[in-house]
Amino acid sequence: MDSQIDWHAARAALDWQLEMGVTETISDTPINRFEQIAPPPKAGVAQGAQAAVQPVSAASAFDPVTEAETLAQGAQDLARLQAVMADYPHCELRKGARNLVFCDGVAGARVMIVGEAPGRDEDRMGKPFVGRAGQLLDRMLAAIELGRDRAGAQSVYITNVLPWRPPQNRDPKPDEMAMMLPFLKRHIALANPDVLVLMGNVPCQALLGKRGITRLRGAWAEAEGLPVLPMFHPAYLLRNPAAKRDAWADLLNLRARLDMKA
Ligand code: URA
């Protein structure tokens, strides 16, 4: 009996540590991960002989959003984009995350789904929407003959506004969204979908500059030169099953649009 209690207590303690972001259990000496991430270059610090003679201007002051834009624009394909995001040091979320969650599904699919940020399961697996909300998303897509594991016209491509899990699944902060937005925009351009589906308020805020999913859902809008359909987030649907009726209407709306432009 005692050993059973010990087992459960040990298991709970382990789960708690994983939840807190523990990834190493074998080091004898502690590793300070904060020191491993290079601090941003200071404004006006010379990067070479030429930079040393240039005057320090407001334009040369360090800005993580400008740096993200430059890196994102320089990425010529999705693999390169993933690599520059993995190396981007200025978003604090990366410090607590196990994995960069970049995408799932088929690049080039007609439908690109944009969620909010990885949760615990996604952080562990390195893929978006693999937890309970993701399973519901898969069932929703299957109901209109779409899926991340399907090919051709039935395929979808999935990503999130943020590629790293926020601690305790808190809401993304405005500065985190601002610095990751250039990467998301480049991601959309490189994946080249016909339509975007925005799951919940966070992607609506990022790409439409608006929140209020209850009003926005079901109405086609435009972002990044593409038709955009805001929908309730599947996690919201799990908490509010009555909203599934609206979600079903939105799925049929999406299906009709795809069939119209087949
Ligand atoms: N919720 C999201 O918005 N994205 C995920 O990847 C998982 C849950």
Side-chain angles (χ1 to χ4, degrees):
M1 185 69 181
D2 266 348
S3 69
Q4 267 195 359
I5 292 170
D6 286 345
W7 186 90
H8 287 298
R11 176 64 202 254
L14 182 60
D15 282 345
W16 182 82
Q17 289 179 47
L18 291 173
E19 178 73 16
M20 292 295 114
V22 173
T23 55
E24 285 269 357
T25 56
I26 51 169
S27 264
D28 286 337
T29 47
I31 299 169
N32 186 344
R33 305 264 176 215
F34 287 76
E35 278 172 2
Q36 292 182 327
I37 295 170
K42 294 206 176 78
V45 169
Q47 302 244 313
Q50 218 182 1
V53 294
Q54 282 173 356
V56 177
S57 68
S60 69
F62 170 73
D63 172 18
V65 177
T66 308
E67 183 172 323
E69 280 164 0
T70 307
L71 290 168
Q73 282 313 313
Q76 295 308 310
D77 56 37
L78 290 166
R80 192 66 211 138
L81 181 67
Q82 181 169 2
V84 294
M85 286 170 71
D87 286 346
Y88 180 73
H90 307 303
C91 183
E92 295 284 301
L93 294 175
R94 60 175 291 141
K95 293 177 186 168
R98 289 181 148 208
N99 279 303
L100 174 118
V101 175
F102 185 67
C103 73
D104 198 13
V106 180
R110 295 185 68 196
V111 178
M112 180 165 180
I113 294 170
V114 184
E116 176 179 329
R120 187 179 62 168
D121 296 319
E122 291 76 19
D123 183 43
R124 274 188 196 166
M125 307 272 293
K127 282 187 180 184
F129 283 104
V130 292
R132 276 186 71 223
Q135 288 156 20
L136 175 58
L137 175 63
D138 285 338
R139 292 198 295 279
M140 291 161 65
L141 294 171
I144 54 165
E145 306 281 305
L146 295 175
R148 63 177 103 189
D149 297 324
R150 300 188 186 207
Q154 295 193 336
S155 60
V156 300
Y157 186 67
I158 307 178
T159 193
N160 283 309
V161 173
L162 295 179
W164 293 290
R165 181 193 183 195
Q168 276 80 49
N169 297 344
R170 65 154 169 76
D171 283 346
K173 294 181 185 167
D175 67 316
E176 292 161 351
M177 286 174 64
M179 68 178 88
M180 299 317 291
L181 185 58
F183 296 112
L184 175 63
K185 290 184 171 184
R186 187 71 182 144
H187 203 158
I188 294 167
L190 291 170
N192 193 23
D194 288 349
V195 301
L196 293 172
V197 176
L198 307 184
M199 291 295 181
N201 271 321
V202 169
C204 288
Q205 179 72 59
L207 290 168
L208 299 174
K210 303 181 203 178
R211 299 179 79 87
I213 192 65
T214 308
R215 269 178 299 108
L216 295 172
R217 60 141 284 273
W220 287 93
E222 200 191 302
E224 302 305 298
L226 293 170
V228 164
L229 184 64
M231 285 187 63
F232 283 133
H233 193 288
Y236 176 82
L237 297 175
L238 288 172
R239 295 191 303 271
N240 301 277
K244 286 184 181 172
R245 188 189 176 97
D246 289 334
W248 177 236
D250 297 344
L251 288 169
L252 293 179
N253 187 341
L254 172 62
R255 182 72 263 170
R257 176 119 194 176
L258 293 173
D259 291 345
M260 194 172 70
K261 305 252 161 96

